Amino acid sequence: WVNMSATSYYLVDLTSIGIGATPLPPMDFGRTLVDSGTTFVYFPSRVFSAAVEQVIQYCGTGACSGPVTKAPDGTFCVQLPENIPRHQLDLMPQLTFTFGHGAATTTWWGSQYMYWNKAQQQWCSTIRDNGAGVAETVLGAAWMVGHDVVFDLDGNRLGVADAHCVNHTQRPGDDKPLEELAGIDGAVDPTNVAIVLAIIIAAGCFSRLVRRRTRQNRPPADGSWAPPSGATDDELSSLQQNLRPGDPEWANAPVLE
């Protein structure tokens, strides 16, 4: 359990982070928020840079599962194929979070903090720079992967326990990857686009047809309306339904008893 302050945010006291067996130098994490509505984990710029450099240095010895490089957004990525067994990512250094100056620790494994980046075609970490001048750490949903997280509001504490979670790369019963279904990284299914366009076009054509038939069934606007010879009561009723009070021909319409 970790002491937690539940005000406008869920705040905890993060005091240190270890990369493998080596802790980061003492530095300011700012206030630390636990927020399941945030996808990634965000560190103050100084913490972020130190963590990335330490991971790259750790993997430079060949201890990781593949070559590790820095991505354009500053985080680190490992060059491995998409279909590798996820446990192979656990060769990446584990990240240890210490709260309350040693009161509690949690462990974040490579298979939990790495994700497949379709745009870059490599596995990248979920840690991000929170921006210059922002003294705040945000532990988002990625930090919760592989854990049961309990928000005890009455006790003002946060519980974190290891969990064996199912990790789907495809929706069960579907042969399409999740990122393709959800449009992640700009992926768009051309088939879905074609179906949507066909529906829009068909709806537009139907609407025009209905309006055209309505206009054809409407009597002339000069008040010269007369029922067709030999029209049945049902046909007269249908024609009368196309008239509205205020139309010039309304007064000439037959009254059906």
Side-chain angles (χ1 to χ4, degrees), residues 220-241:
D222 59 2
S224 60
W225 190 89
S229 176
T232 66
D233 286 351
D234 288 341
E235 291 170 338
L236 288 174
S237 176
S238 176
L239 288 171
Q240 189 180 30
Q241 288 173 5

Side-chain angles (χ1 to χ4, degrees), residues 16-19 22-27 29 47-48 50-52 54:
S16 69
I17 294 178
I19 309 293
T22 306
L24 290 178
M27 56 184 62
F29 294 96
V47 178
F48 171 78
V52 170
Q54 195 156 313

Side-chain angles (χ1 to χ4, degrees), residues 6 9 26 50 55 62 83 96 101 106 133 185 192 201 215 232 234 252-253:
Y9 303 97
V55 168
N83 59 354
T96 304
H101 299 280
T106 64
D185 290 331
N192 292 341
I201 293 171
R215 287 196 299 268
T232 66
D234 288 341
N252 297 327

Side-chain angles (χ1 to χ4, degrees), residues 94-183:
Q94 64 187 47
L95 275 63
T96 304
F97 294 76
T98 301
F99 300 90
H101 299 280
T105 61
T106 64
T107 302
W108 208 21
W109 293 88
S111 58
Q112 297 164 354
Y113 65 73
M114 301 294 287
Y115 77 102
W116 176 250
N117 187 314
K118 187 173 183 179
Q120 298 184 31
Q121 290 293 297
Q122 57 183 342
W123 293 87
C124 295
S125 82
T126 54
I127 70 171
R128 293 292 186 274
D129 187 344
N130 211 3
V134 180
E136 183 175 86
T137 297
V138 182
L139 304 179
W143 177 76
M144 303 178 188
V145 173
H147 297 91
D148 287 328
V149 180
V150 180
F151 295 82
D152 181 3
L153 302 185
D154 293 332
N156 289 319
R157 58 182 185 167
L158 180 78
V160 184
D162 292 335
H164 298 287
C165 304
V166 176
N167 186 35
H168 289 294
T169 57
Q170 293 182 185
R171 184 172 63 186
D174 202 312
D175 60 353
K176 294 182 179 180
L178 285 177
E179 62 268 18
E180 184 176 337
L181 291 166

